Amino acid sequence: MSGNNVGEKVDANTVNSKNISLPMSRVKLIMKSSPDVSSINQDALFLTTKATELFVQHLAQCSFKKGAGREKNTLAYSDLAHVAEETETFQFLTDILPKKILARDYLRSLEERGEDGDD
Amino acid sequence: MAERPEDLNLPNAVITRIIKEALPEGVNVSKEARRAISQAASVFVLYATSCANNFAMKAKRKTLNAGDVMAAMEEMEFERFLQPLREALEAYKKGLKGKKEASEQKRKDKEKKTDAEENDKSREEETLEEEDENMEEEQEGENEGEEEVEN
Protein backbone atom coordinates (compact mmCIF):
# COMPACT_ATOMS: atom_id res chain seq x y z
CA MET A 1 0.00 0.00 0.00
CA SER A 2 2.66 2.45 1.00
CA GLY A 3 5.21 1.08 -1.47
CA ASN A 4 4.76 3.76 -4.14
CA ASN A 5 4.85 6.59 -1.61
CA VAL A 6 8.60 6.43 -1.26
CA GLY A 7 9.25 8.09 -4.62
CA GLU A 8 6.69 10.82 -4.00
CA LYS A 9 8.27 11.73 -0.68
CA VAL A 10 11.63 12.41 -2.30
CA ASP A 11 9.92 14.52 -4.93
CA ALA A 12 8.12 16.68 -2.39
CA ASN A 13 11.40 17.48 -0.70
CA THR A 14 13.24 18.46 -3.84
CA VAL A 15 10.42 20.58 -5.23
CA ASN A 16 10.37 22.63 -2.07
CA SER A 17 14.08 22.91 -1.63
CA LYS A 18 14.57 26.26 -3.37
CA ASN A 19 11.78 28.50 -2.14
CA ILE A 20 10.09 29.14 1.17
CA SER A 21 6.51 28.91 2.33
CA LEU A 22 6.77 30.38 5.84
CA PRO A 23 6.21 34.16 6.01
CA MET A 24 9.49 36.02 6.47
CA SER A 25 7.66 38.87 8.25
CA ARG A 26 6.62 36.53 11.05
CA VAL A 27 10.08 35.01 11.37
CA LYS A 28 11.51 38.52 11.55
CA LEU A 29 9.11 39.37 14.40
CA ILE A 30 10.28 36.32 16.34
CA MET A 31 13.94 37.17 15.70
CA LYS A 32 13.40 40.76 16.82
CA SER A 33 11.75 39.60 20.04
CA SER A 34 15.24 38.58 21.12
CA PRO A 35 16.50 41.52 23.21
CA ASP A 36 20.05 41.93 21.90
CA VAL A 37 19.30 41.72 18.19
CA SER A 38 19.31 45.15 16.58
CA SER A 39 19.07 44.51 12.86
CA ILE A 40 18.96 41.61 10.45
CA ASN A 41 19.86 41.77 6.80
CA GLN A 42 17.56 40.32 4.14
CA ASP A 43 19.76 37.30 3.33
CA ALA A 44 20.06 36.36 7.00
CA LEU A 45 16.28 36.58 7.35
CA PHE A 46 15.74 34.42 4.29
CA LEU A 47 18.24 31.81 5.52
CA THR A 48 16.67 31.64 8.97
CA THR A 49 13.23 31.18 7.44
CA LYS A 50 14.49 28.44 5.14
CA ALA A 51 16.40 26.78 7.98
CA THR A 52 13.21 26.76 10.07
CA GLU A 53 11.41 24.89 7.30
CA LEU A 54 14.24 22.37 7.02
CA PHE A 55 14.13 22.01 10.78
CA VAL A 56 10.38 21.29 10.81
CA GLN A 57 10.88 18.63 8.10
CA HIS A 58 13.83 17.11 9.90
CA LEU A 59 12.08 17.04 13.29
CA ALA A 60 8.96 15.47 11.81
CA GLN A 61 10.94 12.83 9.90
CA CYS A 62 13.19 11.90 12.82
CA SER A 63 10.29 11.66 15.24
CA PHE A 64 8.31 9.53 12.85
CA LYS A 65 11.22 7.18 12.07
CA LYS A 66 12.10 6.64 15.70
CA GLY A 67 8.56 6.92 16.97
CA ALA A 68 6.30 4.20 18.26
CA GLY A 69 3.42 5.07 15.94
CA ARG A 70 5.17 4.00 12.77
CA GLU A 71 3.10 0.86 12.32
CA LYS A 72 -0.10 2.73 13.03
CA ASN A 73 0.95 5.44 10.58
CA THR A 74 0.67 8.19 13.18
CA LEU A 75 2.93 10.84 14.67
CA ALA A 76 2.12 11.60 18.29
CA TYR A 77 3.38 14.03 20.89
CA SER A 78 5.21 11.25 22.73
CA ASP A 79 7.29 10.56 19.60
CA LEU A 80 8.47 14.17 19.62
CA ALA A 81 9.22 14.21 23.33
CA HIS A 82 11.15 10.97 22.89
CA VAL A 83 13.28 12.29 20.03
CA ALA A 84 13.98 15.54 21.90
CA GLU A 85 15.37 13.54 24.77
CA GLU A 86 17.32 10.98 22.73
CA THR A 87 18.84 13.07 19.92
CA GLU A 88 21.64 15.47 20.73
CA THR A 89 20.74 18.09 18.14
CA PHE A 90 17.18 18.31 19.47
CA GLN A 91 18.16 18.60 23.13
CA PHE A 92 17.42 22.32 23.19
CA LEU A 93 13.76 21.31 22.82
CA THR A 94 13.48 19.28 26.02
CA ASP A 95 12.12 22.31 27.93
CA ILE A 96 9.18 22.77 25.61
CA LEU A 97 8.71 19.07 24.84
CA PRO A 98 8.63 17.51 28.29
CA LYS A 99 7.85 13.83 28.52
CA LYS A 100 4.37 13.28 29.80
CA ILE A 101 3.90 10.93 32.69
CA LEU A 102 0.77 9.83 34.50
CA ALA A 103 -0.04 11.55 37.75
CA ARG A 104 -0.10 8.22 39.55
CA ASP A 105 3.40 7.35 38.30
CA TYR A 106 4.64 10.76 39.38
CA LEU A 107 3.12 10.38 42.85
CA ARG A 108 4.65 6.93 43.14
CA SER A 109 8.10 8.27 42.25
CA LEU A 110 7.63 11.03 44.83
CA GLU A 111 6.72 8.45 47.45
CA GLU A 112 9.73 6.33 46.59
CA ARG A 113 11.96 9.35 46.85
CA GLY A 114 10.41 10.21 50.20
CA GLU A 115 11.05 6.71 51.51
CA ASP A 116 14.65 6.90 50.36
CA GLY A 117 15.06 10.15 52.27
CA ASP A 118 13.66 8.66 55.47
CA ASP A 119 16.07 5.76 55.51
CA MET B 1 3.66 47.30 15.90
CA ALA B 2 1.70 46.01 18.85
CA GLU B 3 3.25 42.75 19.94
CA ARG B 4 0.74 40.08 20.82
CA PRO B 5 1.91 36.68 22.06
CA GLU B 6 0.31 34.89 19.10
CA ASP B 7 2.53 36.96 16.79
CA LEU B 8 5.43 34.82 17.99
CA ASN B 9 3.83 31.66 16.62
CA LEU B 10 4.27 30.51 13.07
CA PRO B 11 1.14 30.03 10.95
CA ASN B 12 -0.33 26.60 11.71
CA ALA B 13 -1.56 25.94 8.18
CA VAL B 14 1.93 26.33 6.72
CA ILE B 15 3.57 24.26 9.46
CA THR B 16 1.01 21.49 8.91
CA ARG B 17 1.71 21.50 5.18
CA ILE B 18 5.47 21.24 5.69
CA ILE B 19 5.01 18.33 8.11
CA LYS B 20 2.66 16.53 5.69
CA GLU B 21 5.11 16.96 2.82
CA ALA B 22 7.99 15.65 4.92
CA LEU B 23 6.22 12.43 5.94
CA PRO B 24 4.97 9.54 3.77
CA GLU B 25 1.44 10.00 2.51
CA GLY B 26 -1.39 9.03 4.81
CA VAL B 27 0.45 9.56 8.09
CA ASN B 28 -1.85 10.97 10.74
CA VAL B 29 -0.23 13.76 12.77
CA SER B 30 -1.99 14.43 16.06
CA LYS B 31 -3.09 17.97 16.90
CA GLU B 32 -0.85 17.96 19.93
CA ALA B 33 2.14 16.89 17.84
CA ARG B 34 1.47 19.65 15.31
CA ARG B 35 1.30 22.30 18.02
CA ALA B 36 4.50 20.95 19.58
CA ILE B 37 6.37 21.07 16.26
CA SER B 38 5.16 24.62 15.68
CA GLN B 39 6.41 25.70 19.10
CA ALA B 40 9.67 23.88 18.49
CA ALA B 41 10.07 25.85 15.26
CA SER B 42 9.66 29.16 17.11
CA VAL B 43 12.25 28.07 19.66
CA PHE B 44 14.54 27.06 16.80
CA VAL B 45 14.29 30.58 15.35
CA LEU B 46 15.20 32.12 18.71
CA TYR B 47 18.06 29.70 19.29
CA ALA B 48 19.46 30.27 15.78
CA THR B 49 19.09 34.03 16.17
CA SER B 50 20.92 34.05 19.46
CA CYS B 51 23.76 31.90 18.05
CA ALA B 52 24.02 34.06 14.93
CA ASN B 53 23.98 37.19 17.05
CA ASN B 54 26.95 35.92 19.05
CA PHE B 55 28.94 35.62 15.84
CA ALA B 56 27.94 39.13 14.79
CA MET B 57 28.89 40.55 18.18
CA LYS B 58 32.26 38.80 18.10
CA ALA B 59 32.92 40.54 14.78
CA LYS B 60 31.62 43.82 16.25
CA ARG B 61 28.78 44.09 13.78
CA LYS B 62 25.27 45.18 14.66
CA THR B 63 23.54 43.59 11.69
CA LEU B 64 23.10 39.83 11.36
CA ASN B 65 24.23 38.59 7.96
CA ALA B 66 24.05 35.35 5.99
CA GLY B 67 27.45 34.18 7.27
CA ASP B 68 26.31 34.52 10.87
CA VAL B 69 23.27 32.32 10.22
CA MET B 70 25.39 29.69 8.46
CA ALA B 71 27.90 29.70 11.33
CA ALA B 72 25.00 29.33 13.76
CA MET B 73 23.75 26.24 11.89
CA GLU B 74 27.19 24.67 12.23
CA GLU B 75 27.36 25.46 15.90
CA MET B 76 23.91 23.98 16.45
CA GLU B 77 25.13 20.84 14.63
CA PHE B 78 22.71 21.21 11.76
CA GLU B 79 25.46 20.87 9.14
CA ARG B 80 23.01 18.89 7.04
CA PHE B 81 21.16 22.16 6.36
CA LEU B 82 24.19 24.02 5.01
CA GLN B 83 24.13 22.75 1.44
CA PRO B 84 20.34 23.16 0.90
CA LEU B 85 20.57 26.61 2.49
CA ARG B 86 23.34 27.69 0.15
CA GLU B 87 21.34 26.54 -2.85
CA ALA B 88 18.16 28.21 -1.62
CA LEU B 89 19.92 31.51 -0.99
CA GLU B 90 21.38 31.50 -4.47
CA ALA B 91 17.97 30.85 -6.02
CA TYR B 92 16.43 33.52 -3.80
CA LYS B 93 18.97 36.13 -4.88
CA LYS B 94 18.42 35.29 -8.53
CA GLY B 95 14.67 35.58 -8.05
CA LEU B 96 15.05 38.94 -6.30
CA LYS B 97 17.10 40.33 -9.17
CA GLY B 98 14.40 39.43 -11.66
CA LYS B 99 11.67 40.86 -9.43
CA LYS B 100 13.57 44.08 -8.82
CA GLU B 101 13.90 44.81 -12.49
CA ALA B 102 10.23 44.14 -13.07
CA SER B 103 9.03 46.18 -10.09
CA GLU B 104 11.28 49.12 -10.95
CA GLN B 105 9.62 49.34 -14.31
CA LYS B 106 6.21 49.19 -12.63
CA ARG B 107 7.15 51.85 -10.09
CA LYS B 108 8.22 54.22 -12.83
CA ASP B 109 4.87 53.81 -14.52
CA LYS B 110 3.00 54.24 -11.25
CA GLU B 111 4.90 57.36 -10.17
CA LYS B 112 3.68 59.25 -13.16
CA LYS B 113 0.07 58.39 -12.32
CA THR B 114 0.20 58.92 -8.54
CA ASP B 115 1.79 62.34 -8.86
CA ALA B 116 -1.20 63.57 -10.75
CA GLU B 117 -3.73 61.88 -8.45
CA GLU B 118 -2.20 63.01 -5.15
CA ASN B 119 -3.38 66.59 -5.37
CA ASP B 120 -6.98 65.55 -5.87
CA LYS B 121 -6.85 63.02 -3.02
CA SER B 122 -5.65 65.43 -0.33
CA ARG B 123 -8.48 67.77 -1.15
CA GLU B 124 -11.02 64.94 -0.86
CA GLU B 125 -9.70 63.88 2.57
CA GLU B 126 -10.15 67.36 3.97
CA THR B 127 -13.78 67.55 3.05
CA LEU B 128 -14.42 64.02 4.40
CA GLU B 129 -13.08 64.93 7.84
CA GLU B 130 -15.34 67.93 8.06
CA GLU B 131 -18.37 65.82 7.23
CA ASP B 132 -17.50 63.28 9.98
CA GLU B 133 -17.43 65.98 12.64
CA ASN B 134 -20.81 67.26 11.61
CA MET B 135 -22.31 63.77 11.75
CA GLU B 136 -21.10 63.18 15.32
CA GLU B 137 -22.68 66.36 16.55
CA GLU B 138 -25.97 65.50 14.94
CA GLN B 139 -26.03 62.01 16.52
CA GLU B 140 -25.41 63.33 20.01
CA GLY B 141 -28.25 65.75 19.58
CA GLU B 142 -30.60 62.95 18.55
CA ASN B 143 -29.75 60.75 21.53
CA GLU B 144 -30.43 63.50 23.99
CA GLY B 145 -33.79 64.06 22.40
CA GLU B 146 -34.74 60.38 22.78
CA GLU B 147 -33.85 60.26 26.43
CA GLU B 148 -36.04 63.20 27.18
CA VAL B 149 -38.99 61.54 25.48
CA GLU B 150 -38.59 58.32 27.51
CA ASN B 151 -38.43 60.17 30.80
Side-chain angles (χ1 to χ4, degrees):
Chain A
M1 205 175 82
S2 58
N4 39 8
N5 285 344
V6 181
E8 284 170 29
K9 191 183 132 193
V10 174
D11 265 3
N13 285 346
T14 46
V15 167
N16 266 328
S17 65
K18 293 276 162 66
N19 39 35
I20 49 172
S21 31
L22 282 172
M24 289 211 278
S25 56
R26 185 60 62 91
V27 173
K28 189 175 182 181
L29 211 61
I30 300 172
M31 292 174 87
K32 288 258 181 164
S33 76
S34 175
D36 30 53
V37 172
S38 43
S39 61
I40 304 147
N41 88 12
Q42 192 67 16
D43 289 354
L45 175 61
F46 171 82
L47 282 179
T48 309
T49 309
K50 183 73 204 171
T52 308
E53 293 192 11
L54 294 171
F55 170 77
V56 169
Q57 282 182 356
H58 185 49
L59 177 60
Q61 282 166 349
C62 278
S63 314
F64 182 65
K65 259 185 230 159
K66 292 177 185 166
R70 209 175 169 191
E71 286 107 47
K72 284 188 282 175
N73 240 9
T74 53
L75 181 64
Y77 176 86
S78 55
D79 299 331
L80 292 163
H82 179 73
V83 99
E85 202 177 58
E86 300 293 312
T87 316
E88 217 193 308
T89 47
F90 292 133
Q91 287 236 312
F92 70 97
L93 297 173
T94 43
D95 282 347
I96 62 147
L97 290 172
K99 268 201 162 169
K100 288 192 175 178
I101 63 169
L102 289 174
R104 76 160 174 264
D105 292 342
Y106 179 67
L107 289 175
R108 195 178 298 150
S109 78
L110 273 188
E111 259 170 41
E112 277 166 19
R113 230 181 281 162
E115 279 166 18
D116 286 350
D118 288 341
D119 289 340
Chain B
M1 199 185 287
E3 208 175 277
R4 296 165 300 160
E6 60 262 36
D7 283 342
L8 300 183
N9 291 337
L10 293 159
N12 280 325
V14 185
I15 294 287
T16 304
R17 199 172 68 223
I18 298 171
I19 299 170
K20 282 251 159 95
E21 282 170 357
L23 297 176
E25 238 182 84
V27 173
N28 189 15
V29 184
S30 81
K31 208 176 172 185
E32 215 183 2
R34 266 181 284 160
R35 199 172 352 132
I37 293 179
S38 180
Q39 282 171 351
S42 288
V43 172
F44 173 84
V45 173
L46 287 172
Y47 183 27
T49 306
S50 138
C51 279
N53 200 49
N54 281 344
F55 286 107
M57 286 206 305
K58 255 184 230 160
K60 294 190 177 155
R61 276 181 286 103
K62 283 199 170 171
T63 307
L64 295 191
N65 65 27
D68 296 329
V69 178
M70 296 303 255
M73 289 303 124
E74 260 180 276
E75 180 151 302
M76 292 161 78
E77 291 180 40
F78 285 117
E79 288 96 347
R80 55 166 64 232
F81 294 169
L82 292 177
Q83 191 50 33
L85 283 177
R86 263 184 227 118
E87 283 167 18
L89 182 63
E90 213 170 286
Y92 171 70
K93 279 181 173 171
K94 260 184 208 161
L96 268 193
K97 237 188 199 174
K99 259 190 204 168
K100 234 183 202 171
E101 279 159 14
S103 70
E104 249 162 48
Q105 191 58 43
K106 258 190 199 169
R107 203 184 304 143
K108 275 179 196 164
D109 295 344
K110 246 190 190 173
E111 266 170 21
K112 283 178 204 161
K113 274 187 199 170
T114 45
D115 275 352
E117 280 171 10
E118 227 153 63
N119 291 330
D120 297 340
K121 251 191 196 168
S122 55
R123 238 175 272 150
E124 270 172 36
E125 274 164 20
E126 272 171 33
T127 52
L128 273 178
E129 271 169 32
E130 276 169 28
E131 274 170 27
D132 280 348
E133 277 170 25
N134 289 340
M135 292 255 283
E136 274 168 30
E137 276 166 27
E138 271 170 34
Q139 270 178 348
E140 275 171 29
E142 273 172 30
N143 288 343
E144 277 166 25
E146 274 170 30
E147 271 168 34
E148 274 171 9
V149 170
E150 274 172 29
N151 289 339

